Amino acid sequence: MQLLNQAEVTEYLNIQDAIDTIEQLLHQQAAHPSWIKSPERLVIETFSEDLFSNSGEHSSGAHLSMPAIIYNGKQEYTAVKLVTICPDNPSRDLPTTTAIVTVSNNATGKILAVMDGIYITQVRTAALSGIATNYMSKSDCQSVAVVGCGGMAYEQLNAVLTVRPKIKTVYLWNRSPRGAEQFKARFARDYAQWNVELNVCEQIEDAIKDADIINVATRSDEGLFSVEQIKSDAHINAIGAYRPSMKEISNDVIKNSGMIIVDDLAGSRHEAGDLIQADEASDCAWTWDDLSGDLQALVTGKLTDKAAKAKQAITLFKSVGAASFDAAVALYVAKQAQENNLGEQVVWEKLPK
């Protein structure tokens, strides 16, 4: 069994690897639906505000258990990601999301690898946005806005720049200006391969008004901008608002979008707060029947004509995540670790005498 810490996972996994791996998974799912088993993830709320109301130490967070099985035509694997979301962690200089992933061979039950899941989560989420951007946005995009400059935003921007390398201008907005400044400094340092101009904006409208692509990753409970504030052909990647009570994208943006794609059809109906609330709102014309489809249909060409027409309008990609995406990326890392003896090798099983 290979044990990989966050630094080792980061070193041996890049965004293009993740994009390619997830695209392969989507094609495989389309060709062989029974080869991937990804039950709805278990979500348990943690750090009850009522329980800790006197201490002032905790905001409401969540624990997620995400198992998936992948059969590749020859072998079958299981990957399980365990996640804890701690909203107060940025004040402690810790990541909001912590995670660990195990990968095992189902023929023997042998665990192949145990790895830190923070970067796995960041990269697989970003890869989904990168894939959606590649298929849904204009090919000549020049600018992108980053709305919410937390830990998930780095690789999401990296993914967008990977598929749209002509982008030269990045606008940054965060509820805390300090967070946007920190993002600017770190991105310029750690992602120096992108020769982009990074601009911190005090007002969200200044960040989004000229952006061809808008990346949104927040814990907001209300829409952050209206349709009048963005370009009429902007593409939006929304990866926050992971509970029904949360909302980043306003109803008027949703109902005026020419194309709306989700990463996971089943999960979005339970977790995509933006779309759930739009569907339930009496004053919003959008319903689930208006959903254009999912990422698998987009990648496999079932929505090609619709996507081409929609590039003249606002397009929206809503991501809630699914265990199969984590499993595919983690399995890629586990195979790299075994083939190249990466990380620390640990003997877990008791050897026979």
Side-chain angles (χ1 to χ4, degrees):
M1 179 179 74
Q2 305 301 122
L3 187 63
L4 297 103
N5 61 28
Q6 187 176 21
E8 289 161 341
V9 174
T10 302
E11 182 178 357
Y12 295 108
L13 174 65
N14 64 54
I15 192 64
Q16 190 63 60
D17 293 333
I19 288 173
D20 294 342
T21 297
I22 291 178
E23 283 217 48
Q24 290 170 11
L25 173 75
L26 293 170
H27 282 284
Q28 183 175 313
Q29 282 181 313
H32 306 283
S34 63
W35 286 11
I36 290 90
K37 298 179 182 180
S38 180
E40 186 177 344
R41 60 189 177 189
L42 173 66
V43 181
I44 306 172
E45 290 193 9
T46 61
F47 306 149
S48 167
E49 292 174 344
D50 294 333
L51 181 62
F52 292 102
S53 59
N54 295 326
S55 68
E57 294 179 358
H58 297 288
S59 296
S60 180
H63 170 78
L64 292 75
S65 299
M66 303 173 62
I69 290 176
I70 293 180
Y71 175 64
N72 62 11
K74 296 181 180 180
Q75 293 177 296
E76 182 182 304
Y77 303 91
T78 293
V80 181
K81 186 174 79 168
L82 302 176
V83 187
T84 303
I85 299 173
C86 304
D88 295 324
N89 266 5
S91 65
R92 307 180 181 107
D93 291 325
L94 294 172
T96 300
T97 301
T98 62
I100 192 167
V101 184
T102 65
V103 178
S104 57
N105 184 323
N106 285 2
T108 63
K110 182 178 180 180
I111 297 176
L112 304 179
V114 176
M115 66 192 75
D116 181 272
I118 295 177
Y119 194 64
I120 295 287
T121 303
Q122 291 173 346
V123 171
R124 73 88 158 129
T125 304
L128 294 170
S129 289
I131 293 168
T133 299
N134 192 35
Y135 284 87
M136 299 175 74
S137 72
K138 299 176 299 180
S139 61
D140 60 347
C141 292
Q142 299 294 311
S143 60
V144 57
V146 175
V147 176
C149 297
M152 298 295 287
Y154 291 93
E155 284 302 325
Q156 191 186 22
L157 177 56
N158 187 29
V160 167
L161 295 175
T162 297
V163 300
R164 290 291 180 265
K166 293 181 182 179
I167 289 175
K168 294 301 178 185
T169 306
V170 179
Y171 303 101
L172 307 173
W173 180 84
N174 195 65
R175 289 192 187 275
S176 163
R178 178 172 175 265
E181 292 290 352
Q182 290 176 331
F183 182 97
K184 177 180 178 179
R186 180 185 164 189
F187 196 87
R189 180 194 69 203
D190 295 347
Y191 300 82
Q193 71 269 27
W194 301 117
N195 184 25
V196 293
E197 179 184 346
L198 298 162
N199 302 290
V200 173
C201 301
E202 292 186 6
Q203 305 297 326
I204 189 172
E205 51 264 32
D206 294 329
I208 62 177
K209 64 181 181 180
D210 296 321
D212 296 310
I213 299 168
I214 304 172
N215 288 348
V216 191
T218 73
R219 299 184 76 250
S220 177
D221 57 8
E222 61 181 5
L224 295 169
F225 48 84
S226 65
V227 69
E228 292 82 9
Q229 293 177 300
I230 64 176
K231 297 178 72 172
S232 60
D233 57 357
H235 171 67
I236 303 168
N237 295 309
I239 67 171
Y242 53 86
R243 292 180 181 172
S245 60
M246 294 178 173
K247 189 172 182 65
E248 302 178 309
I249 310 303
S250 61
N251 287 350
D252 70 329
V253 171
I254 292 172
K255 71 180 181 182
N256 283 286
S257 293
M259 188 176 204
I260 298 179
I261 295 293
V262 297
D263 57 348
D264 181 64
L265 289 172
S268 64
R269 285 183 174 263
H270 296 287
E271 299 175 15
D274 318 273
L275 303 182
I276 291 171
Q277 292 180 46
D279 173 71
E280 294 175 348
S282 59
D283 59 347
C284 181
W286 189 89
T287 70
W288 284 109
D289 291 336
D290 299 311
L291 184 70
S292 304
D294 64 2
L295 203 59
Q296 180 190 114
L298 187 67
V299 167
T300 55
K302 295 180 180 179
L303 302 175
T304 300
D305 292 342
K306 187 178 290 188
K309 294 177 181 178
K311 286 184 179 180
Q312 306 303 316
I314 295 169
T315 56
L316 171 62
F317 171 62
K318 176 62 186 178
S319 176
V320 296
S324 57
F325 303 133
D326 295 287
V329 175
L331 180 57
Y332 169 85
V333 174
K335 289 182 176 179
Q336 293 296 311
Q338 288 225 312
E339 291 172 5
N340 300 288
N341 196 29
L342 310 178
E344 179 183 355
Q345 188 172 40
V346 177
V347 178
W348 188 263
E349 301 88 352
K350 183 178 181 180
L351 298 177
K353 294 181 180 180

